[in-house]
Structure formats: C-alpha cells, structure tokens
Amino acid sequence: MAKLPTPATMYSALLRHDPTYEGVFWLGVRTTGIFCRPTCRARTPNRENIEFFAAPSDALHAGFRPCRKCRPLDHGRKPPPLVEQLLAAVEREPGRRHRDAELVERGIDPSTARRQFKRYCGMTFQAYHRARRMGVALSDIRKGKTVLDSQLDQGFASGSGFREAFARIVGTPPSQAGSLGVLHAKWLETPLGAMLALADDRGLHLLDFVDRRGLEQSLTLLQRRLRARVLPGEHPVLTQIVRELDEYFQGTRLMFNTPVVLTGSPFQLAVWRALQNIRPRTTCSYCELAVKIGQPAAVRAVGRANGDNRLSIIVPCHRVIGAGGALTGYGGGLWRKQKLLDLERSITADSC
C-alpha cells in the first residue's frame, strides 16, 4: 500500500493545484460523494470535508464516484466511446450487475470491454463495477448511520440505486428485513486498507478487506446461512476488535481475544480451527495443513477452505504458504500477505 504524504502536505498541494502530486493521491469530498485529482479546478472543499486516498480503487470502495470535471480515472486522454458508455451505465444504476451476457445483448464484446477499460482506467470493467457497487452498499456502514434505508443523496445517482444494491448484497430489501437477525457492522481503517467487521452477541462473524474480490459473495452467503441483516452501529465485540487490531498494527499484540463465530461446513471448520493453531511468526504449507486435519490427500480442498475464510488476520490464513516457501493464494493480495508476515516477525515477545 502506497504511503501518503501528510494531510497538511496534500491539502496544501490541492490548494495550489500542484501537478507534481498527480498520481500520488486522490481526494474524496464528503459533501458531494465525488473523488478528484489534486489538480481539479472545481471549488476547493474545506479540509474537514476531505478524505485522501492512495489509489482510485480505494476511493471507489469508500463510496465515492469519479468527478466528471477532472476525470480521476483518465490518463490525460479522452476515454474511448466504449469506456464512456460503460462508466455511464454504472453511474445510472450503481447497484445493478452488468454480466457478460448483458453486454453481448447490447452489442458489446466482453473481452473488448475488459481490454479497453483496463488500458484506460487501470482496472477491468468488472473490477471497477464491483468496487463501485460495494462502495455504494457499504456507504452507510462506513458513515455509521443507524438506518440503511435512509435516503442517500450524496454521491449516488439515486436512492433507489442504493436500495437495489442493498437488496442484492443483503439478500432482501430493507423494507422486508424485519424478521431477520442482526449483524452489527463497522468500517475499520487499517494501515493495509479499509476492513469490514460484522458481529453479534455471539462474537465476530466477519473481518475482511473491503476490496477483496470474494467479499460480496461472503456477505451474501453468511447472511443467508444466519438469516441475518446487516445494520451499522456499535457493539462490544466490534469495540474489542478495533482495539486489538490497533494494538496488532502498532506491534504490541500478536494474539487476539475477540470471540469469533465460525460458520461453514464440517470440513471448512476443521481447516479454520487448524489455522487458529498456527502460531505467530511461523508458517505452514497447504500440505502440512491437510495432514493436521487428518486428510493428507485433500490439499486442494484445504486451499479452497483457506480462501473461504471470513476472518482475516484473526484466523490467520496469511500464514499458509506454498510447499516451496513461496507466497500463494491470498484473497487480500499477496502484498498484504507479505506485510502481515513481516509485521508479525517484527513483533517481539517483550513488546506484546
């Protein structure tokens, strides 16, 4: 994760519209829900209304949409008509899915769309759309609002777009969610990027990076199995994990005491419990993990269960490596896996 300059330095660069900071940071404006380049010529917002990001994808996951004036996804050239068409389609309905079959029905070749979008915006269309959709759906959680169905008029094409995204991810419209249980949600900022935490009175059910590709599927599956809806708000379990994560990243904690709830098949539960037994500052191969659960031939299945883990860091799937010692298979990105391992190796017993 890129290290940002200080907020004072970035705001000063924004006031000067300093072109030397192009590509160094992007800024989101809370009052409009838009994110911009540091050289944007729109009216400069007040400092308290600004949030800084190291990458456009971070701003998208935080619920901001691209500024139409400075075009923060552009690279100094006009976007191809196909890219403009796709960007407009997402903004019209941020919560709607745009599957390959639908693109074909509109006369768009999916492979061409992926190639042009990647070349122009630095990410595939599906990656952009997923980030935008998740940003919309998680916006209230991030802001700490108490009612997910409240009218959102900051940064979204319409309130109905949010409700559609909510229904797709939560599994039911807000108006029909009254009979479900409740998972309290909190957006956490960490040195390795934003995370989402879900908890109830039993413990922590989910802790994951918001830009992980499988997060949306994890949310859908978890809520279906628990028959629960997600509501932002405080909870003692969330307060505890925030404190313990802060201590972990500050290098004063290696073990977590936050109660967790594992929800999965018997095989998945066996793998996740084995993960919990991998000590800090040590690693384990997929083969070794398969032996530990008594199924030495199930290496691939162990790998899949490892990837299905919903409790990043606490259930330490980042400590599982390839047979030759190489870093492999981490949903949050191999760079995060390396950072976590390096952090844990730097923490001494005396410091925690």
Side-chain angles (χ1 to χ4, degrees):
M1 184 178 182
K3 183 175 177 60
L4 290 172
T6 65
T9 298
M10 291 186 287
Y11 191 64
S12 177
L14 175 64
L15 292 174
R16 301 191 308 271
H17 306 290
D18 191 337
T20 63
Y21 282 85
E22 280 287 326
V24 176
F25 73 87
W26 287 258
L27 62 130
V29 184
R30 297 189 182 104
T31 52
T32 62
I34 288 172
F35 77 95
C36 304
R37 303 171 179 271
T39 55
C40 186
R41 291 290 173 174
R43 181 178 178 181
T44 303
N46 294 331
R47 172 64 189 90
E48 62 270 18
N49 294 327
I50 293 177
E51 187 167 349
F52 296 107
F53 301 97
S57 59
D58 295 338
L60 288 167
H61 279 105
F64 295 93
R65 73 178 189 272
C67 173
R68 293 183 178 179
K69 188 166 187 175
C70 71
R71 295 180 176 268
L73 294 174
D74 295 4
H75 298 283
R77 62 191 187 280
K78 182 176 174 59
L82 176 56
V83 174
E84 282 194 321
Q85 179 183 350
L86 293 172
L87 288 170
V90 171
E91 287 312 310
R92 280 196 301 271
E93 296 181 278
R96 179 184 174 184
R97 293 178 182 270
H98 295 270
R99 302 182 186 277
D100 284 355
E102 294 180 10
L103 296 180
V104 171
E105 289 177 1
R106 285 188 255 167
I108 299 173
D109 177 52
S111 62
T112 301
R114 282 191 289 270
R115 186 169 58 252
Q116 289 195 17
F117 211 92
K118 173 80 171 178
R119 185 183 302 127
Y120 187 76
C121 296
M123 65 183 82
T124 66
F125 171 62
Q126 295 298 343
Y128 172 86
H129 184 219
R130 184 172 58 250
R132 187 76 179 97
R133 187 172 66 244
M134 287 300 294
V136 171
L138 295 175
S139 182
D140 268 6
I141 294 172
R142 185 168 177 271
K143 294 173 183 177
K145 290 188 177 181
T146 56
V147 182
L148 274 176
D149 194 32
S150 62
Q151 178 66 43
L152 297 182
D153 58 2
Q154 297 181 4
F156 301 103
S158 67
S160 62
F162 174 82
R163 287 191 290 275
E164 182 178 346
F166 178 88
R168 288 187 183 277
I169 291 176
V170 175
T172 185
S175 61
Q176 300 175 16
S179 62
L180 303 178
V182 173
L183 287 172
H184 300 275
K186 189 172 183 64
W187 176 287
L188 314 176
E189 296 290 351
T190 81
L192 297 185
M195 301 186 78
L196 177 68
L198 301 182
D200 62 13
D201 291 343
R202 293 181 294 163
L204 190 68
H205 289 265
L206 181 141
L207 179 67
D208 215 340
F209 293 98
V210 300
D211 60 355
R212 187 176 72 85
R213 184 172 183 175
L215 177 59
E216 185 174 348
Q217 182 180 359
S218 293
L219 282 170
T220 302
L221 183 60
L222 184 62
Q223 290 166 121
R224 185 184 303 131
R225 285 184 172 179
L226 298 178
R227 286 202 49 76
R229 56 175 175 164
V230 173
L231 290 177
E234 296 301 324
H235 189 280
V237 173
L238 296 175
T239 301
Q240 183 174 354
I241 190 56
V242 168
R243 183 183 70 254
E244 292 183 357
L245 272 180
D246 285 343
E247 293 168 353
Y248 174 79
F249 282 111
Q250 289 170 11
T252 60
R253 173 182 290 276
L254 278 172
M255 306 298 290
F256 291 86
N257 298 320
T258 301
V260 299
V261 182
L262 303 177
T263 303
S265 69
F267 182 85
Q268 288 175 320
L269 294 177
V271 173
W272 297 338
R273 288 170 182 141
L275 289 175
Q276 291 177 297
N277 291 327
I278 304 175
R279 302 292 297 176
R281 297 191 293 267
T282 66
T283 56
C284 176
S285 72
Y286 293 99
C287 292
E288 292 169 335
L289 198 59
V291 170
K292 287 182 178 181
I293 66 168
Q295 301 198 41
V299 177
R300 289 189 178 181
V302 164
R304 286 193 295 271
N306 197 63
D308 290 336
N309 174 36
R310 302 185 193 93
L311 289 161
S312 295
I313 303 178
I314 293 185
V315 177
C317 54
H318 62 279
R319 295 176 191 158
V320 182
I321 58 175
L327 297 187
T328 57
Y330 189 63
L334 292 182
W335 68 273
R336 280 197 181 106
K337 188 170 190 173
Q338 185 66 66
K339 291 281 189 183
L340 292 170
L341 292 174
D342 290 346
L343 171 64
E344 292 176 354
R345 291 184 184 118
S346 71
I347 300 175
T348 65
D350 292 338
S351 63
C352 60

